[in-house]
Amino acid sequence: MRIPIRVLTALFLAAASGAVAAGPAEAATTLGASAAQTGRYFGVATAAFKFSDTPYMTIVNREFNSLVAENDMKWDATEPQQGRFTFTNADRLVSHAQSRGMTVRGHTLLWHAQQPSWAQGLSGAALRNAAINHVTQVATHFRGKIHSWDVVNEAFADGGSGARRDSNLQRTGNDWIEAAFRAARAADPGAKLCYNDYNTDGVNAKSTGIYNMVRDFKARGVPIDCVGLQSHLGTGLDSTYQQNIQRFADLGVDVQITELDVQQGGNQANIYGAVTRACLAVTRCTGITVWGVRDSDSWRDDNPLLFDAGGNKKAAYTAVLNALNAGGPTTPPPGTGACGAQVTLNSWTGGYTATVRVTAGAAALNGWTVGVTVPSGGAVTSAWNATNTGTSGQVTFRNVGYNGQVPAGGSIEFGFQGTGTGPTATPTCTAG
Ligand code: 9MR
């Protein structure tokens, strides 16, 4: 059995210059570029059927550097009949993201809602097997293309119990969540694996139930890398919002704000700004996703998004952008160098996966090369989102067709799997 140990080496190298001081961030003019200045992403939930809507896509392409499918990757969408998978819409979303250098969040592998009717009719071992097969098939289909998967969505009960929600999946046995995470890790070792839920926007009974599960998973070596706080918010923000993010981060998982939307009213812009600042204040809060583009695209009827129906930026947009720009870089900018590379290792006895984030400097990249020193005795066995030259000693990774172009300050990720001990030396990054 492999025991993942997330080791953040967080080595950032300026290619041409040596040490680079972290200067004040230049005020970026889009959400994605601004978030990228601190090594974060700013994403949006989209629907493939809206890709022909020009005003909609203009905003998506201009503002965001991460996409999630609002519905196109759910169980009912991807496996409408048992064993028959349809990925047309989801593939469209992923291709679009890749063509623009955006990362993709996967939402969601298992959930009590939006199950296909055939799954709703199953129980016991038949449902468990079907669910785990679903995780394996879908995560395998998208292997190497997903930044983070919501492996399990909304499995905890509302209210004060802090307990699991009753559902057909829960009735297959309390270990269904860890079984799903293990299957997801086996199918796509490069994706971060998240547990995602709502009404977790502060320290409360529900978020504490989830906290206890994550702590238990980390203690027992169940693979989990992140917690998604959906953050569907009303007219106020819990005073413990940041504290709650921090306590999850302190368990050794990333936190992502995954479905942010806020009821329109006097406080909307302030709440958006406060959520953004809270995330930026916690190093392991790595990205924010809003749950739709314009108010008219929202699942809610209280105008909760950053753009009005006409596509105009709202006060809430300005509050978020200002908060992102005020956050300042947490990773040093590459200065005169072309790019930097950051490695995250997921290790077990005898092997590891490495996720490498390549961040462009002041100029856009048109191709990149990353050099990694693989410790002796080990070798690279596979790579995704990059091609490697050599497998041991000095190994060079180059961009593939769809991820060579990285906007100034933007970043992409590639990964590789290897035997032995993962690389600990600083990787080099050069343009071209
Ligand atoms: O926004 C989604 C809406 O279009 C769907 O009809 C709905 C189906 O249940 O799901 C909505 O998205 C949900 C997300 O998948 C999980 N968290 C709550 C979101 C809002 O309901």
Side-chain angles (χ1 to χ4, degrees), residues 233-237 241 260 262-278 306 314-320 323:
L233 300 174
T235 54
L237 185 65
Y241 189 83
L260 180 62
V262 182
Q263 184 178 329
Q264 176 131 307
N267 280 327
Q268 187 181 51
N270 290 338
I271 292 172
Y272 264 110
V275 167
T276 307
R277 283 190 296 277
L306 300 177
K314 295 165 57 179
Y317 171 95
T318 308
V320 171

Side-chain angles (χ1 to χ4, degrees), residues 45 69-71 74 107-108 111 113-114 153-154 196-198 230 232 259 261 291 297-300:
E70 186 171 356
N71 290 299
K74 291 172 180 173
H107 175 81
T108 174
W111 187 21
Q114 275 182 287
N153 191 46
E154 300 176 8
N196 189 51
D197 216 324
Y198 68 95
Q230 293 183 12
H232 294 293
E259 304 182 13
D261 51 17
W291 203 242
D297 299 309
S298 175
W299 68 293
R300 295 167 61 156

Side-chain angles (χ1 to χ4, degrees), residues 22 49 57 67 127 146 192 223 233 235 314 318 336 366 412 425:
F49 80 86
M57 285 313 275
L67 298 186
L127 176 60
I146 302 295
K192 291 185 192 297
L233 300 174
T235 54
K314 295 165 57 179
T318 308
T336 56
N366 186 13
I412 60 88

